[in-house]
Amino acid sequence: ALLEALEQCDAFLAVIGARWHGPLPDGASRIDSPEDWVRREVEAALAIPRMRVIPVLVNGAPMPTAEGLPGSLARLSARHAARIEPDPDFHVGMDRLLRSLGAPSVPIPAADGPGRTIDAGGVPLELVWVPPGDFQMGAEGPTASAVEGPMRQVVIGQGFWLSRYPITVAQYRAFLDATGSFVPSPIADRDRDTRPVTDITFQDAMNYATWLHTPQGEMGALPTEAEWEWAARGSDGRRFPWGNDTPHGARAVWAAVSEGQPAAVGGRPEGRGPFGAEDQAGNVWEFCLDAWGGRQLEDAHDPVRRDDEAERHVVRGGAWGDAASDLRATLRLGSRGGDDVGFRITLRPKA
């Protein structure tokens, strides 16, 4: 009956918990017994030549070694395992597992999710949590520009906090006041407090980011462009942060709906991304940590082209004066700054 049932399957998931092959009270391991049903099921799956057997590691379980398994299960240690972590990373692991099985991705729900507010020089700064994960970065084809490639699988190795919105005039002025810096008249204008700060350079953005810290030792930084795109697209390859549907005024600010200048941040929750960040499409382009260098790096793990002295740096997201198609999450340009360029920050434990 067991073999008949397995013959109907395309894949077998061997769920391995922290105590899956650990000792019983008498010192033996349950999988040492040829009569153990878990052992018999895995043995049967491994005996079917066409069967994909995937170890699924849960609750922090390590991958068993061949030496630690009975001989009939030793081949399991050579299989590529999927790791499932608890929230807030559960959806990332499950989506990766589904994609490895050839199933459609399950969009990570666009929810307020894990969030927090910190004090940034006397002004509140809202953050959303972006978990680690992997995704298809970049775009190629007739609707993509040459610099949006190469398209490849990229791993974001560590989760991070990301400001829910671009940094505002009020937040940036608090930084200038706290550091005793000159406050230009546009930033002193309190009527602009809720708009994204613009007309700043990459170094200005870096200075704000590195000034930001918390009592817990977390340090601010600009997001790499890989982190920025992961936060905007998640793992399902969406064209815009909210999905693939056409932009409209409840989602984003671009040329067709703007008033010829940046709008106040927020107020467009329909445009939020898979992890809860808002305004990643339109309103202002956003500086990333990467120096501009044409086509993207081909590195697969936490890629970044770091050169703080470069003439131009990568900006993402599109802005208030752009066409709707320029709001796509894969579009990238090199910029020195301007009246349509701002930034947002990441926050993570001090290395």
Side-chain angles (χ1 to χ4, degrees):
L2 176 58
L3 282 175
E4 291 177 3
L6 288 172
E7 287 287 357
Q8 305 300 313
C9 301
D10 295 319
F12 179 90
L13 305 183
V15 180
I16 301 174
R19 300 174 63 184
W20 184 75
H21 60 97
L24 297 172
D26 63 2
S29 171
R30 57 178 291 182
I31 60 171
D32 286 335
S33 170
E35 302 304 316
D36 182 78
W37 268 103
V38 173
R39 171 173 170 170
R40 292 173 65 179
E41 289 173 346
V42 178
E43 285 174 340
L46 289 170
I48 300 174
R50 65 167 182 80
M51 180 68 72
R52 292 183 61 197
V53 179
I54 302 174
V56 180
L57 309 177
V58 299
N59 297 328
M63 184 65 187
T65 63
E67 293 77 15
L69 292 169
S72 60
L73 299 180
R75 285 182 294 156
L76 183 66
S77 66
R79 303 300 175 102
H80 182 70
R83 183 174 293 281
I84 307 297
E85 302 289 353
D87 285 334
D89 300 334
F90 176 79
H91 288 285
V92 174
M94 285 301 299
D95 187 73
R96 186 186 301 121
L97 174 59
L98 288 171
R99 283 186 283 117
S100 73
L101 294 170
S105 290
V106 177
I108 299 168
D112 290 334
R116 61 190 282 209
T117 300
I118 63 170
D119 181 280
V123 178
L125 176 60
E126 292 185 53
L127 303 167
V128 296
W129 175 250
V130 181
D134 64 283
F135 71 112
Q136 193 77 19
M137 184 175 178
E140 296 175 348
T143 62
S145 65
V147 295
E148 290 175 60
M151 196 165 72
R152 76 276 191 216
Q153 198 74 12
V154 164
V155 174
I156 303 299
Q158 292 186 323
F160 55 92
W161 294 98
L162 180 71
S163 54
R164 185 180 297 274
Y165 311 107
I167 298 302
T168 66
V169 169
Q171 289 163 340
Y172 191 73
R173 185 172 61 245
F175 153 68
L176 295 179
D177 289 341
T179 56
S181 304
F182 172 71
V183 180
S185 55
I187 295 175
D189 182 0
R190 295 184 180 272
D191 289 338
R192 296 162 49 100
D193 272 7
T194 57
R195 299 182 197 171
V197 66
T198 58
D199 292 299
I200 45 95
T201 65
F202 170 81
Q203 192 58 55
D204 292 332
M206 283 284 289
N207 290 343
Y208 178 93
T210 55
W211 163 78
L212 192 68
H213 64 280
T214 69
Q216 294 78 27
E218 297 160 303
M219 305 298 292
L222 294 181
T224 67
E225 65 169 325
E227 291 170 341
W228 191 99
E229 188 173 324
W230 165 239
R233 301 182 74 196
S235 57
D236 57 13
R238 59 186 67 184
R239 183 172 174 82
F240 303 103
W242 57 83
N244 296 318
D245 295 338
T246 304
H248 58 63
R251 292 174 172 152
V253 176
W254 76 102
V257 299
S258 77
E259 298 179 356
Q261 60 185 359
V265 303
R268 291 169 289 277
E270 291 185 37
R272 66 188 176 194
F275 306 111
E278 299 184 33
D279 288 347
Q280 277 195 278
N283 213 10
V284 292
W285 292 93
E286 299 177 16
F287 272 125
C288 297
L289 187 61
D290 298 66
W292 178 250
R295 282 174 66 83
Q296 301 190 76
L297 295 172
E298 295 190 17
D299 296 354
H301 200 291
D302 291 317
V304 60
R305 181 183 279 117
R306 186 74 185 264
D307 181 359
D308 294 353
E309 304 303 320
E311 184 178 357
R312 292 186 294 167
H313 284 81
V314 172
V315 293
R316 292 295 202 108
W320 54 265
D322 294 314
S325 61
D326 291 343
L327 275 55
R328 63 188 185 274
T330 56
L331 184 60
R332 51 196 298 275
L333 300 175
S335 177
R336 302 179 183 88
D339 64 358
D340 60 353
V341 177
F343 69 101
R344 70 178 73 213
I345 59 90
T346 66
L347 194 69
R348 65 194 82 209
K350 186 176 181 180

